[in-house]
Amino acid sequence: MIMVTGVNGQLASLTLHELADRKLPALGGSRTPADGQRHLDFDDPTSLDLTGVSTLVLVSAGYAEDDQVIARHRALLDAAARDSVDHVIYTSLTGTGDHLGFALAHRATEDLVKASGLGWTILRNGLYAELFGALLTWTPDGLESAFGDGAIAAVARADLAAAAAIVAGHPTSHAEKTYDLVGAPITAGDVAERLDVAHRAIGLGEYRARLLADAALLPFQPPMLASIASSVRHGFLSNSSPDLVQVLDRPLTDPLAVAADTAAAMRPGIR
């Protein structure tokens, strides 16, 4: 049995659907499980029941400070070893993402996975094309961002879900491998051109000030988002890799189209 964690999240939900489409026996785990899913609360180790699971797709439990994320992942890996899981697939962060504010938790978890004594595969996912599009801001004159002219090898979330399902279906074929799953480089200017609007670049200081003034953001999120902008702006996230095409054995979904569609859906007045 394959288990996918965090199935209320978009990547995990898509992965579970991919597994179902491939007729692979799979189960979802969540803090708030739906019918037919298993209750998993990473903050409550007593809830971590992985009995009957042979392959665990550990979708990163982000949206927290590093110490909490790492503790969550350690607890689940301990449960996996206790319950005789054979193989862990961890959705990590692209190798060019070490400058990002949330990289440390991913790298620490990779070390935990490799030291667990279980079979393992690391999927170093690129940043979502959907996220890139969502981080562009609409103004009356077009789009605005702190990305400058920098490019990002963004990738469609659905492609990453498909890759996770493929690996989960044949884990021994991917044992002890680390894949860098990124797409083709795109820029904020490319997205603006696709939507036939202008793009204005703002400075990182102005962007950070806006983030810090946003009461809806949690304390760790402004530096995280600022690090994405700075890394894109200065060319640290633009490297491509053949790994995703090789795993999928098909062309990738166009990340520019995905980012543009996401940005277009957020345009004021669009319902």
Side-chain angles (χ1 to χ4, degrees):
M1 173 70 72
I2 300 166
M3 173 177 278
V4 183
T5 69
V7 289
N8 279 339
Q10 295 183 69
L11 176 61
S13 175
L14 286 171
T15 301
L16 198 60
H17 283 299
E18 281 281 345
L19 290 165
D21 288 344
R22 297 168 190 275
K23 310 301 182 187
L24 293 168
L27 176 68
S30 172
R31 180 177 297 176
T32 54
D35 289 343
Q37 297 177 354
R38 191 175 294 183
H39 177 248
L40 290 181
D41 184 348
F42 288 9
D43 294 323
D44 177 11
T46 64
S47 77
L48 302 179
D49 176 11
L50 301 180
T51 54
V53 175
S54 57
T55 299
L56 177 67
V57 181
L58 170 51
V59 178
S60 178
Y63 295 100
E65 298 287 355
D66 289 343
D67 56 347
Q68 188 173 8
V69 173
I70 295 167
R72 289 170 174 173
H73 292 170
R74 180 182 288 111
L76 190 67
L77 290 168
D78 287 347
R82 179 200 66 209
D83 293 339
S84 301
V85 171
D86 294 324
H87 198 100
V88 175
I89 300 162
Y90 176 57
T91 64
S92 188
L93 174 68
T94 175
T96 60
D98 283 344
H99 296 82
L100 296 174
F102 49 97
L104 186 149
H106 284 293
R107 299 296 175 251
T109 301
E110 290 183 14
D111 289 344
L112 291 173
V113 168
K114 293 175 183 178
S116 68
L118 308 174
W120 59 267
T121 306
I122 305 296
L123 305 182
R124 286 186 159 183
N125 290 347
L127 269 65
Y128 304 140
E130 293 90 342
L131 174 64
F132 189 60
L135 290 177
L136 302 173
T137 301
W138 284 99
T139 73
D141 298 320
L143 288 171
E144 188 174 81
S145 80
F147 298 129
D149 296 326
I152 178 174
V155 59
R157 190 183 280 111
D159 282 354
L160 296 174
I166 288 169
V167 173
H170 302 279
T172 56
S173 300
H174 304 277
E176 297 187 9
K177 293 184 179 179
T178 298
Y179 296 114
D180 206 56
L181 305 182
V182 294
I186 61 174
T187 69
D190 293 334
V191 176
E193 183 177 358
R194 176 67 67 95
L195 298 176
D196 196 26
V197 297
H199 171 250
R200 173 180 176 265
I202 64 172
L204 291 169
E206 181 178 351
Y207 183 55
R208 187 182 295 272
R210 292 182 185 180
L211 294 172
L212 292 171
D214 188 344
L217 295 178
L218 297 171
F220 70 92
Q221 290 180 306
M224 177 191 75
L225 293 169
S227 73
I228 294 174
S230 185
S231 293
V232 172
R233 189 183 191 104
H234 296 104
F236 284 100
L237 292 174
S238 61
N239 288 1
S240 58
S241 165
D243 288 358
L244 186 53
V245 170
Q246 291 172 0
V247 171
L248 295 179
D249 194 27
R250 63 163 171 79
L252 303 185
T253 305
D254 180 9
L256 178 56
V258 173
D261 287 347
T262 302
M266 298 179 65
R267 191 168 191 168
I270 299 297
R271 296 294 182 183

